[in-house]
Amino acid sequence: MRTQDSATTPTAIAVTAPETTPGARTVGVGTGRTAAPSGAESDAGAGRTTTRDASASGSPAGTATPARTPVSDPRARGTLLAGLGVVAFSLTFPSTVWGLESFGPWSLVAVRSTLAALVAGVFLLVGRVPLPERRHWAGLAVVGGGVVVGFPLLTSLALQTSTTSHAAVVVGLLPLTTAAFAALRTGRRPSRTFWIAAVSGAVVVLGFTLGESGGSLSTGDLYLFGALLVCAAGYTEGGRLAGLMPGWQVIGWALILCLPLMLAASAVALSLEPVRLTAHGVVGLLWVALGSTFFGLYVWYRGMAAIGIPKASQLQLAQPLLTLVWSVTLLGETLSPAAPAAAVAVLVCIAVTQRSKS
């Protein structure tokens, strides 16, 4: 009696085959295939198994997924975006000094805000972004009053009598002030380790910048401390709103909200303050309008939404040191030998705040 080859004769009887992947289901031998979830496919006729990458095919839960890389980690992206914002902000004071070569302080602030608002308006129109909900307008007014009008105006007035190194005291204290505002506004309480590192970083930056300026107080200090308070409020409210809408829309709508006031202020200030256009003045104006006000705040608020306001604020501990580097490079100021030691101390404080619980 000759044994018949069962592989050549189709049969309707379902036979259970070993599963090749979790959750695989078996069909009749006559079909010649074993169905599996997206990620594996067995071809009985050809005697081979083809496996597709689950991540590429959008496989459901239950299949193996590749480990996340630092680039795909939202917190890593948030830290990178907030860091880009800090770099953009670190150029604000030197650019403001350049801008003051061509414009008065009131004209510079009004024109920079107007230019930034026009750019933001184009993006909002092209994207057909709907108006924010009514409940968000109060927060947007705080953002506009703090980072669009208040901080630029007060620091511009201060930089008429203060050097960029002295003005860096504001930025050195800003992370701690922003973290305090965020704790009051959002109710989140960072850990004791966070506060110790934040205060330590602020003390290092404060001591360094005061040492750079000779330890004396200038007539612009009241402007600087006022700028510190309004900017911390604007950062906190903007970071909260960035969790509800994209970061570029937060600063975009804040700029649009201030546009009528800034248009009127531009007309008045330009008629009263002398304008002497220079290459430095134009470059400084363009940077504070497009680099600091629009791009810088866009990436900054996106970063804050991803990693939280307290941790993002501590990245600004590096901003005064970056500002001093730009001051040496762009303005010709001299840098103290203590700068490298201060930079290392600040970076240690930043690392502690980023790893602490918030």
Side-chain angles (χ1 to χ4, degrees):
M1 181 176 180
R2 188 174 58 184
T3 304
Q4 187 179 16
D5 186 2
S6 60
T8 61
T9 306
T11 177
I13 300 175
V15 179
T16 302
E19 293 181 346
T20 58
T21 59
R25 64 183 186 276
T26 305
V27 297
V29 176
T31 63
R33 290 184 182 273
T34 300
S38 58
E41 180 181 83
S42 176
D43 191 339
R48 64 179 181 274
T49 300
T50 305
T51 303
R52 296 189 303 272
D53 184 15
S55 63
S57 59
S59 60
T63 60
T65 57
R68 276 185 175 181
T69 62
V71 176
S72 64
D73 186 357
R75 297 188 67 82
R77 289 199 305 271
T79 302
L80 176 61
L81 290 171
L84 287 175
V86 170
V87 174
F89 297 153
S90 70
L91 283 161
T92 300
F93 286 167
S95 299
T96 300
V97 172
W98 275 6
L100 289 173
E101 293 182 9
S102 297
F103 303 92
W106 295 88
S107 300
L108 181 63
V109 172
V111 174
R112 71 179 273 185
S113 299
T114 300
L115 290 177
L118 293 176
V119 173
V122 170
F123 276 90
L124 292 170
L125 285 175
V126 171
R128 297 183 179 179
V129 179
L131 288 172
E133 299 178 25
R134 182 177 299 179
R135 60 193 178 97
H136 296 326
W137 282 108
L140 290 171
V142 174
V143 175
V147 303
V148 176
V149 180
F151 185 80
L153 176 60
L154 292 172
T155 52
S156 294
L157 292 171
L159 285 171
Q160 289 188 300
T161 57
S162 299
T163 64
T164 54
S165 352
H166 189 79
V169 174
V170 174
V171 182
L173 296 176
L174 187 56
L176 180 60
T177 309
T178 303
F181 267 75
L184 293 173
R185 180 67 177 89
T186 65
R188 296 181 61 183
R189 297 294 184 267
S191 65
R192 182 179 299 178
T193 302
F194 176 93
W195 286 116
I196 292 174
V199 172
S200 299
V203 169
V204 169
V205 173
L206 180 61
F208 175 69
T209 51
L210 285 177
E212 286 292 297
S213 61
S216 59
L217 296 177
S218 69
T219 56
D221 284 327
L222 290 178
Y223 291 133
L224 293 173
F225 285 111
L228 167 70
L229 295 177
V230 297
C231 189
Y235 279 174
T236 300
E237 198 63 23
R240 184 188 69 83
L241 289 173
L244 305 174
M245 65 180 75
W248 72 274
Q249 293 183 21
V250 173
I251 184 57
W253 287 118
L255 286 165
I256 294 299
L257 188 63
C258 297
L259 181 57
L261 175 63
M262 290 297 99
L263 281 172
S266 296
V268 174
L270 289 173
S271 66
L272 297 177
E273 293 180 334
V275 176
R276 298 177 296 272
L277 293 180
T278 65
H280 279 175
V282 173
V283 171
L285 170 65
L286 292 177
W287 178 260
V288 292
L290 305 180
S292 300
T293 304
F294 185 73
F295 172 76
L297 288 171
Y298 161 60
V299 294
W300 175 245
Y301 284 140
R302 283 196 62 183
M304 291 180 83
I307 65 177
I309 298 173
K311 287 194 174 184
S313 68
Q314 298 314 297
L315 293 175
Q316 280 196 302
L317 287 170
Q319 185 172 328
L321 303 178
L322 289 173
T323 298
L324 291 174
V325 172
W326 301 129
S327 300
V328 171
T329 305
L330 302 177
L331 304 178
E333 296 183 6
T334 57
L335 189 62
S336 167
V344 172
V346 168
L347 290 176
V348 169
C349 293
I350 292 175
V352 174
T353 61
Q354 296 306 295
R355 291 181 176 274
S356 65
K357 295 180 179 180
S358 61

